[in-house]
Amino acid sequence: MKRRGQVDVLQGTMDFLVLRILAREKLHGYSIARKLAELSASALQAEEGTLYPCLYRMERQGWINSEIGQSENNRKARYYSITPAGRAHLRREQTKWDSFVKAVTTVIAGTEGDK
Amino acid sequence: MIKHLIEWTGPRRRVLEELRFHAELLEQEFLALGCDRKAARDLANRRLGSTRKSRQQAYRELSATPRDLLIGLSEQRTGPGWLTPIVLGICSLFLQLLFVPDVAMVVSWTIWAAALCCLIPIEVARWSRKLNHWRYHLYSVTTLLGAALLGNAGWMALIAIWRLPPWPTQGCSVVVFCADIIVYLLGCCLLLRVWSVNRTGRCRRCACPLRLPDESGRSGSLLIHAATRSSICIHGHGTLTRDYWHSAWHGCGAFWDELFKPGRA
Ligand SMILES: [Zn+2]
């Protein structure tokens, strides 16, 4: 459930953020959600109904792998890790994201006095 | 078909497994904070929102809802669409005949009940996925109901003409009885086939018959340069391409509207 001030992660952005998180370490779904909230200082919220389909889809696309491992609570959990194809995709998405942010920043800067 | 069923259950199983694990870890976090088990579970549930809602959302995103299964299976079939209700209808006919003494009543509705039960849910599922315009689905369902009424009227007429008693042992020969049923079943097949062919050959938007058929490929060829026939909706809603194996609809915006847009010189 969403708390005050939290924003849902947009569809296309979710793939990108999850890949960024998995590029650092192998994690299970719950940790990915926690990590996302932690890194964004609880501003971003990955809804469970969106996160797990996203992980499943990315695995089907070959960007991530999953394997069963032992979790911190001694339970079987599915751990996800990034594949070389996933890293390549991440690099492409990073470039796109950078130019998008640059363009938006330029527009904001150019209209600063219009407020 | 089995492959499709496995592909449908795979994501569902995964989502369920993941959500369960997610809820469990959340609960453990609250337990570690000093809550008792019940309070921890309640808090975890509250934080997750409705688990059912998350599950449904995940299924929708992965196209793994019952509706998707129905649409998928209807697209996977290799035989003609009208054959399934006929086969199911005949099976249920024989089953019912073991128990019900009034054979005329059983026969009259069984095939059509099977057809309506098989085809209406598929139409509804496709309509809710906005695969075709509602007008097309309404047309399909109405004509199917019409065919059912016509089929039953035909059966009533057959009974009246041949004076079929409720059961063949009551003064009517088994041969006449069987002949009667066979004629009726053939009639049902024909009606369903006409329904199916008529419906396939209509625009998926306005339900008008498609026109200007254009043949290409080698006639008689099934795989390489297969004989293909494409026809268009005269209102410009799209094109239907059909070969031996399947038919595909390519919808486009109304191009006449495009031509007569106000302000166009
Ligand atoms: Zn049309």
Side-chain angles (χ1 to χ4, degrees):
Chain A
M1 202 161 57
K2 209 157 46 204
R3 277 166 291 163
R4 271 184 86 156
Q6 282 187 324
V7 199
D8 288 336
V9 182
L10 292 174
Q11 176 75 61
T13 328
M14 173 78 96
D15 293 9
F16 174 60
L17 293 179
V18 169
L19 284 177
R20 286 279 320 197
I21 290 170
L22 288 177
R24 283 164 59 177
E25 56 189 319
K26 192 157 116 182
L27 290 170
H28 54 63
Y30 183 78
S31 305
I32 296 173
R34 288 304 302 254
K35 206 84 183 170
L36 190 65
E38 195 184 302
L39 291 171
S40 68
S42 295
L44 290 179
Q45 161 89 346
E47 274 203 21
E48 297 75 30
T50 318
L51 173 68
Y52 294 111
C54 162
L55 287 169
Y56 185 81
R57 221 180 306 112
M58 288 206 290
E59 192 181 341
R60 296 285 300 242
Q61 261 156 333
W63 296 339
I64 58 174
N65 266 335
S66 81
E67 57 183 357
I68 302 286
Q70 199 82 9
S71 75
E72 51 270 43
N73 62 342
N74 280 328
R75 209 182 155 279
K76 267 192 207 163
R78 191 173 287 276
Y79 280 85
Y80 296 91
S81 56
I82 195 165
T83 61
R87 281 189 196 281
H89 178 73
L90 182 59
R91 272 195 296 276
R92 280 194 300 274
E93 287 300 301
Q94 183 72 59
T95 320
K96 265 195 240 167
W97 181 254
D98 289 342
S99 39
F100 174 73
V101 170
K102 204 172 143 197
V104 173
T105 317
T106 318
V107 171
I108 293 174
T111 54
E112 200 65 61
D114 300 351
K115 268 196 288 186
Chain B
M1 203 165 264
I2 291 180
K3 192 174 150 247
H4 185 80
L5 212 63
I6 293 168
E7 272 174 16
W8 181 77
T9 49
R12 285 176 75 91
R13 222 177 320 122
R14 170 74 70 89
V15 163
L16 213 61
E17 168 197 305
E18 291 281 36
L19 284 177
R20 216 174 277 157
F21 179 68
H22 196 107
E24 211 171 278
L25 281 186
L26 208 52
E27 193 184 316
Q28 288 212 337
E29 246 177 57
F30 287 117
L31 278 175
L33 287 173
C35 299
D36 63 72
R37 190 158 283 280
K38 192 183 169 296
R41 182 160 302 164
D42 287 349
L43 280 170
N45 281 341
R46 206 172 312 155
R47 174 75 71 83
L48 264 175
S50 154
T51 324
R52 195 171 152 265
K53 213 176 107 200
S54 302
R55 213 171 51 215
Q56 296 303 340
Q57 186 189 351
Y59 292 164
R60 261 198 312 278
E61 290 212 11
L62 291 169
S63 302
T65 59
R67 187 173 59 180
D68 294 302
L69 177 71
L70 205 64
I71 295 173
L73 286 180
S74 75
E75 279 165 0
Q76 291 278 311
R77 66 180 165 71
T78 43
W82 52 272
L83 204 61
T84 320
I86 288 283
V87 172
L88 286 176
I90 291 175
C91 293
S92 94
L93 195 94
F94 281 116
L95 256 178
Q96 288 181 67
L97 286 182
L98 293 176
F99 304 104
V100 186
D102 190 351
V103 73
M105 278 318 288
V106 169
V107 173
S108 73
W109 273 104
T110 302
I111 295 286
W112 296 102
L116 296 171
C117 290
C118 280
L119 302 165
I120 289 185
I122 294 174
E123 288 298 319
V124 171
R126 294 178 70 91
W127 164 73
S128 64
R129 263 287 143 103
K130 292 192 168 62
L131 287 175
N132 298 318
H133 196 276
W134 63 264
R135 244 177 278 162
Y136 179 72
H137 293 298
L138 183 68
Y139 176 82
S140 305
V141 172
T142 332
T143 44
L144 183 61
L145 283 169
L149 288 176
L150 193 67
N152 275 320
W155 175 241
M156 294 302 160
L158 261 185
I159 297 173
I161 294 164
W162 284 0
R163 294 185 191 288
L164 191 74
W167 194 247
T169 48
Q170 293 169 14
C172 159
S173 92
V174 177
V175 178
V176 171
F177 172 76
C178 290
D180 211 3
I181 290 190
I182 288 169
V183 167
Y184 173 66
L185 287 180
L186 287 176
C188 287
C189 284
L190 189 72
L191 256 176
L192 270 175
R193 200 182 131 70
V194 168
W195 172 78
S196 154
V197 168
N198 169 278
R199 170 178 165 276
T200 313
R202 280 178 181 265
C203 169
R204 305 307 190 246
R205 234 178 102 105
C206 63
C208 287
L210 298 169
R211 305 213 186 272
L212 307 170
D214 177 35
E215 314 265 353
S216 63
R218 269 204 304 263
S219 65
S221 170
L222 293 184
L223 287 174
I224 302 156
H225 300 301
T228 311
R229 174 183 238 220
S230 47
S231 23
I232 62 162
C233 165
I234 48 161
H235 303 293
H237 294 142
T239 319
L240 180 79
T241 318
R242 257 188 290 185
D243 61 22
Y244 182 81
W245 303 103
H246 29 58
S247 57
W249 172 257
H250 306 283
C252 50
F255 57 70
W256 298 129
D257 291 354
E258 197 57 31
L259 273 177
F260 298 114
K261 246 185 196 164
R264 192 174 280 269

